[in-house]
Amino acid sequence: FALSLLGCFELQLPQAWQNRVNRVAQKQSGGKYAAVFAMGALSALVVGACMTAPLFGVLAFIAQTGNVVFGGSALFVMALGLGVPLLIVGAGAGALLPRAGAWMNGLKRVFGMLLLGVALWIVVPVLPTAALLLLAALWLLLAAVGLRTFEPLAGHGANGSAGADGWRYLGKAGGLVCTMLAAALIVGASAGARDPLRPLAVFAGTRTAAAPADQAPVFATVRSVDQLDRA
């Protein structure tokens, strides 16, 4: 599902079905509760592919818990989360939203990366540490590519907006941070690191200064737990 959001393939209803649903929806007249309900239901079939991945996750969680009441409540809350914003937009707040455009594809890639991160987080318990570090590094590198870190920065004001340039600089800075973290994870994996949050800890404390003569450690032989407790 993450790969679908990232644009590797399309996951949606057949185009013929979508066209048929659109034709039926356009024939509905506004101003009546039944007609509005029918338009909403038909529109959900068209845009439902956007919710396929979250819906699959909710259904899988419900199947795992086996709780019918909790499952129905979760789906009801999810429906509210989908429907209430549309009601707010339809009531007039849509004028405050930016127009549809290329930014929506960028937002879809952001959610694709988040979903890919969730997939990695789910398999953490069954992965060897080295594989986890390398996959986390790959995820960070993909994020850096998505932020266009490795692409040349266009000239100032190329889009006629200083704000756009500012966001571009900020994205590149975030991508550079992701790249440095990925490099640290790769180096840590090659050195045998065991903590994904501290991949370079294996290099800390490997060399310590010799203790002064008056602070030399004292060794003693211990042959039982009681002797160890007394020591």
Side-chain angles (χ1 to χ4, degrees):
F1 292 121
L3 294 178
S4 173
L5 289 176
L6 292 174
C8 296
F9 59 90
E10 290 293 332
L11 190 66
Q12 59 184 0
L13 288 173
Q15 191 63 42
W17 292 17
Q18 294 189 46
N19 294 336
R20 188 177 305 171
V21 170
N22 278 328
R23 286 195 297 269
V24 175
Q26 290 172 1
K27 293 179 181 178
Q28 304 298 321
S29 59
K32 298 179 180 179
Y33 289 110
V36 172
F37 181 84
M39 291 173 65
L42 293 172
S43 299
L45 291 177
V46 177
V47 301
C50 301
M51 289 303 300
T52 302
L55 180 60
F56 180 82
V58 172
L59 292 176
F61 182 74
I62 293 170
Q64 180 68 24
T65 59
N67 190 326
V68 178
V69 176
F70 178 77
S73 302
L75 290 174
F76 178 72
V77 172
M78 186 176 179
L80 286 180
L82 287 171
V84 171
L86 293 178
L87 290 175
I88 295 174
V89 171
L96 303 177
L97 296 177
R99 301 229 175 239
W103 67 273
M104 297 181 68
N105 291 327
L107 189 63
K108 188 170 71 170
R109 287 193 293 269
V110 169
F111 281 106
M113 288 301 303
L114 291 176
L115 203 60
L116 203 59
V118 171
L120 178 60
W121 175 71
I122 289 174
V123 297
V124 162
V126 298
L127 283 180
T129 306
L132 173 61
L133 291 172
L134 293 176
L135 286 175
L138 176 61
W139 185 81
L140 288 168
L141 289 175
L142 286 174
V145 171
L147 292 169
R148 300 181 177 180
T149 305
F150 308 108
E151 296 180 10
L153 193 62
H156 179 71
N159 290 339
S161 171
D165 287 335
W167 284 111
R168 211 173 272 112
Y169 281 116
L170 189 61
K172 275 189 171 292
L176 287 174
V177 172
C178 291
T179 303
M180 289 187 290
L181 290 175
L185 288 171
I186 294 173
V187 172
S190 62
R194 291 291 178 266
D195 188 355
L197 300 179
R198 300 178 60 204
L200 301 181
V202 291
F203 300 106
T206 55
R207 297 181 61 185
T208 58
D214 58 343
Q215 296 180 8
V218 178
F219 293 93
T221 303
V222 177
R223 293 185 173 85
S224 68
V225 176
D226 292 336
Q227 288 183 3
L228 178 62
D229 292 337
R230 289 194 298 270

